[in-house]
């Protein structure tokens, strides 16, 4: 299986400050078709996960532009330019380059 | 606005079969650009992708669960279903149904999720 590792299990951020969440995969997520099968999700308390970012850096419909994704190969980062109260929750990365599709263990974002 | 909603028993006895149905509204399950999937979440194992099914019946399953999983689709009712056999306490989790995008060759992100339903395995 492709193991997705999120090195930080939690972070606490002051509103208005930036935040960065890291995700590393045990093998490259770059497919021979040129696409990188890496996604980011946010799970707010009591809610299902919601899609934030596809293909490393493409924001899903309705996702604020303060969210951005970057990276390549096996190392990826989700950045929030200015954290807001509504950004609280657990952030997960996910890969779909190989079965079974797997998720990181999550990074919990709290507000200071 | 697409919605997917899980339904089924919240309590299943060990060794029995867990059965869940997902009803799709606000869109057709007969779409060429989507698979329909199941993901579960438990405190011990985090988020686990179980599998996905196309409206034609084509499936992708998690190899670790493949021997116990059967997914099916009923296009006339805009529903798809999950059966997980020989359950144990380790199968206790919140089960989500969801929509997963596809190129036709490869599965991509999961763009819509149901609210989830807690299934407890206990005698």
């Amino acid at each position: 299986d492709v193991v997705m590792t999120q090195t930080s299990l939690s972070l606490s951020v002051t509103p208005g400050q930036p935040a960065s969440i890291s995700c590393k995969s045990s093998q490259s997520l770059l497919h021979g078709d040129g696409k990188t099968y890496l996604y980011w999700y946010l799970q707010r308390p009591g809610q299902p996960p919601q899609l934030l970012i596809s293909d490393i850096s493409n924001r899903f419909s309705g996702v604020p532009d303060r969210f951005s994704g970057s990276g390549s190969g096996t190392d990826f980062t989700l950045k929030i330019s200015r954290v807001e109260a509504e950004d609280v929750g657990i952030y997960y990365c996910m890969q779909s380059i190989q079965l079974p599709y797997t998720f990181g263990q999550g990074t919990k974002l709290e507000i200071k | 606005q697409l919605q997917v909603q899980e339904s089924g028993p919240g309590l299943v006895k060990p060794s029995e079969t867990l059965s869940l149905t997902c009803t799709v509204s606000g869109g057709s399950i007969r779409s060429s650009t989507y698979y329909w999937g199941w993901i579960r979440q438990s405190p011990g194992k985090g988020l686990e992708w179980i599998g996905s099914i196309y409206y034609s019946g084509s499936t992708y399953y998690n190899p670790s669960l493949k021997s116990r999983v059967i997914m099916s689709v009923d296009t006339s009712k805009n529903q798809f279903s999950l059966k997980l056999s020989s359950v144990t306490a380790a199968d206790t989790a919140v089960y989500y149904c969801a929509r997963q995008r596809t190129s036709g060759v490869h599965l991509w992100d999961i763009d819509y999720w149901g609210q989830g339903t807690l299934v407890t395995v206990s005698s």
Side-chain angles (χ1 to χ4, degrees):
Chain A
D1 296 5
V2 177
V3 177
M4 305 296 286
T5 302
Q6 296 179 236
T7 50
S8 297
L9 294 183
S10 67
L11 70 163
S12 184
V13 182
T14 300
Q17 294 300 302
S20 181
I21 298 170
S22 171
C23 175
K24 297 181 189 296
S25 57
S26 59
Q27 65 186 70
S28 176
L29 302 186
L30 174 62
H31 194 270
D33 61 12
K35 188 175 165 68
T36 301
Y37 292 87
L38 183 280
Y39 321 104
W40 288 98
Y41 296 87
L42 164 60
Q43 186 173 30
R44 294 191 171 102
Q47 295 296 313
Q50 62 182 90
L51 179 64
L52 293 177
I53 301 279
S54 287
D55 308 341
I56 303 177
S57 59
N58 294 323
R59 280 188 302 277
F60 187 56
S61 174
V63 175
D65 60 7
R66 64 178 182 275
F67 290 93
S68 64
S70 62
S72 64
T74 61
D75 291 300
F76 306 95
T77 302
L78 176 70
K79 292 183 179 177
I80 310 173
S81 59
R82 296 173 304 280
V83 169
E84 298 186 5
E86 66 178 19
D87 301 336
V88 164
I90 303 175
Y91 290 80
Y92 296 95
C93 55
M94 174 197 157
Q95 65 81 21
S96 72
I97 196 171
Q98 181 183 107
L99 286 174
Y101 306 141
T102 50
F103 295 84
Q105 71 272 45
T107 298
K108 187 174 185 179
L109 175 67
E110 298 175 327
I111 298 293
K112 281 185 182 176
Chain B
Q1 176 78 349
L2 185 91
Q3 290 189 322
V4 289
Q5 179 67 55
E6 308 86 356
S7 59
L11 180 64
V12 182
K13 289 182 169 54
S15 80
E16 295 190 344
T17 296
L18 177 161
S19 295
L20 295 174
T21 296
C22 184
T23 300
V24 179
S25 58
S28 175
I29 204 169
R30 295 177 58 91
S31 171
S32 62
T33 52
Y34 302 108
Y35 270 66
W36 305 90
W38 294 93
I39 304 96
R40 67 182 183 180
Q41 185 172 31
S42 61
K45 293 195 73 175
L47 286 164
E48 182 176 31
W49 177 83
I50 300 170
S52 292
I53 187 167
Y54 199 55
Y55 75 89
S56 64
S58 174
T59 54
Y60 290 94
Y61 293 151
N62 187 322
S64 70
L65 298 169
K66 190 173 183 177
S67 64
R68 299 194 291 132
V69 169
I70 297 176
M71 292 184 185
S72 59
V73 61
D74 186 337
T75 57
S76 67
K77 295 182 179 179
N78 232 30
Q79 293 178 334
F80 60 104
S81 299
L82 168 71
K83 290 188 186 299
L84 180 66
S85 61
S86 305
V87 296
T88 69
D91 295 309
T92 294
V94 174
Y95 285 75
Y96 296 101
C97 66
R99 188 177 80 172
Q100 187 165 15
R101 296 196 284 193
T102 180
S103 64
V105 175
H106 207 106
L107 269 60
W108 297 344
D109 51 39
I110 299 166
D111 64 350
Y112 282 94
W113 299 64
Q115 286 299 305
T117 186
L118 174 62
V119 179
T120 302
V121 178
S122 175
S123 55

